[in-house]
């Protein structure tokens, strides 16, 4: 019988920490899941490590190795391969609560149907402290955007999506010489279709490592301007207020300047607001350039000590 849930983990040279996720999956009170590991071009011992776990045959593991495409490229591959009703991403430096799978299956069995995109639940740190705020107690469901904008939820949350939606929505675009496109791109599109069921339960324990995506977001911003410019165009189209649209346009201008795309107004779905955002976008672009130079010289000086 096919399980209800796929837990997928994109990983790149994380053999030193991937065991934490594996051990948490061994502790699950319900084992009706598939663990799909997308190895995004690792050069460490990840393949050997995973093969030893597959040989142990304690849980159902699928392993797929590809050339390095970045986090969003690994997500694309996962969504193509997943064949279960639900999926959830657990990063390679995180691990699941011991009863997370049981909670997901039970909750979805009781409340889930085609009117909902999936489940939103809580992340906690290693000590069990909830990341950010809890979710509203008086709501059964809401879109991801409304939770953060209207209900002032903050902090990372765990998203469990219907696999037909993550598979049918357009994949993350891949750009030459870039390795990141904001994962929120798919979430924005799915938000337009269905709300998420709210479950105020901790599903995942997270740690923000120094080599992780979350801790390097400014660097990602500057290293992947094509991906961010693409995302800002999509975000403009989905922004519910003028203030939100203006914010997205400012970032779009900044990213467009980084790639020397002088036709950015023509490409924008919000041309007038983009035009009005140019002065602030230039300031943001200049600020990021200054911080980049300061970081370079700081690193250079520290390396010479």
């Amino acid at each position: 019988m096919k399980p209800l849930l796929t837990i997928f983990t994109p990983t790149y040279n994380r053999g030193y920490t991937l065991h934490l996720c594996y051990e948490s999956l061994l502790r699950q009170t319900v084992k009706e899941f598939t663990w799909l590991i997308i190895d995004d071009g690792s050069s460490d011992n990840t393949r050997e490590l995973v093969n030893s776990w597959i040989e142990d045959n304690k849980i159902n593991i699928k392993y797929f190795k590809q050339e390095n495409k970045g986090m969003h490229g690994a997500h694309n591959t996962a969504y193509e391969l997943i064949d279960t009703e639900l999926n959830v991403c657990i990063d390679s430096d995180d691990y699941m609560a011991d009863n997370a799978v049981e909670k997901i299956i039970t909750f979805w069995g009781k409340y889930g149907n085609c009117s909902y995109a999936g489940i939103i639940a809580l992340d906690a740190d290693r000590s069990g402290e909830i990341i950010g705020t809890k979710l509203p107690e008086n709501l059964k469901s809401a879109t991801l955007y409304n939770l953060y904008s209207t209900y002032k939820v903050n902090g990372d949350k765990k998203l469990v999506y219907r696999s037909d939606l993550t598979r049918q929505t357009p994949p993350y675009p891949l750009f030459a010489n870039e390795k990141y496109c904001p994962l929120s791109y798919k979430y924005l599109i799915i938000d337009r279709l269905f709300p998420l069921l709210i479950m105020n339960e901790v599903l995942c324990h997270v740690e923000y490592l120094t080599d992780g995506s979350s801790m390097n977001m400014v660097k990602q911003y500057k290293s992947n301007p094509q991906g961010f410019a693409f995302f800002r165009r999509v975000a403009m189209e989905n922004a519910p207020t003028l203030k939100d649209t203006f914010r997205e346009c400012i970032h779009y201008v900044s990213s467009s300047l980084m790639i020397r795309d002088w036709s950015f107004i023509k490409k924008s779905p919000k041309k007038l607001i983009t035009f009005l955002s140019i002065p602030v976008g230039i300031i943001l672009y200049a600020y990021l350039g200054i911080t980049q130079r300061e970081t370079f010289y700081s690193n250079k000086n520290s390396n010479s000590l």
Side-chain angles (χ1 to χ4, degrees), residues 14 51 58 77 124 134 160 168 170 205 227 243 269 271 296:
R14 285 291 183 83
N51 282 339
K58 294 181 179 178
T77 302
K134 294 189 72 174
V160 183
Q168 292 168 13
H205 294 272
K243 179 181 178 181
K271 293 178 175 55
F296 171 78

Side-chain angles (χ1 to χ4, degrees), residues 129-283:
E129 188 75 21
I130 292 171
I131 304 296
T133 60
K134 294 189 72 174
L135 299 164
E137 298 282 359
N138 60 333
L139 283 183
K140 179 181 180 181
S141 65
T143 62
L144 192 61
Y145 179 86
N146 280 339
L147 286 171
Y148 282 92
S149 63
T150 304
Y151 296 97
K152 307 305 177 185
V153 168
N154 64 67
D156 288 342
K157 301 294 176 265
K158 189 50 57 187
L159 302 172
V160 183
Y161 277 116
R162 280 171 38 199
S163 300
D164 61 328
L165 298 179
T166 53
R167 184 167 50 249
Q168 292 168 13
T169 50
Y172 298 101
L174 302 177
F175 297 99
N177 303 316
E178 293 193 8
K179 298 296 183 182
Y180 188 80
C181 176
L183 300 180
S184 301
Y185 159 62
K186 267 188 180 282
Y187 309 156
L188 283 174
I189 295 175
I190 294 174
D191 245 17
R192 286 160 35 184
L193 303 175
F194 304 103
L196 291 158
L197 287 165
I198 293 172
M199 182 169 70
N200 260 313
E201 300 279 355
V202 173
L203 296 182
C204 184
H205 294 272
V206 305
E207 181 175 3
Y208 299 111
L209 299 181
T210 55
D211 61 344
S213 177
S214 298
M215 293 294 286
N216 291 280
M217 191 50 63
V218 174
K219 181 181 178 182
Q220 298 275 29
Y221 187 109
K222 293 185 283 190
S223 301
N224 303 278
Q226 294 178 89
F228 275 91
F230 165 82
F231 170 72
R232 297 300 177 182
R233 287 196 296 269
V234 176
M236 282 182 222
E237 293 181 292
N238 292 275
T241 67
L242 181 61
K243 179 181 178 181
D244 293 318
T245 304
F246 188 64
R247 183 185 65 245
E248 301 298 346
C249 288
I250 291 169
H251 287 282
Y252 173 62
V253 170
S254 175
S255 294
S256 297
L257 293 175
M258 289 181 187
I259 57 178
R260 304 295 189 266
D261 182 0
W262 310 121
S263 62
F264 64 88
I265 294 179
K266 181 179 179 180
K267 295 177 182 177
S268 171
K270 303 289 184 178
K271 293 178 175 55
L272 176 59
I273 304 176
T274 298
F275 176 77
L276 296 174
S277 302
I278 289 176
V280 185
I282 292 174
I283 292 172

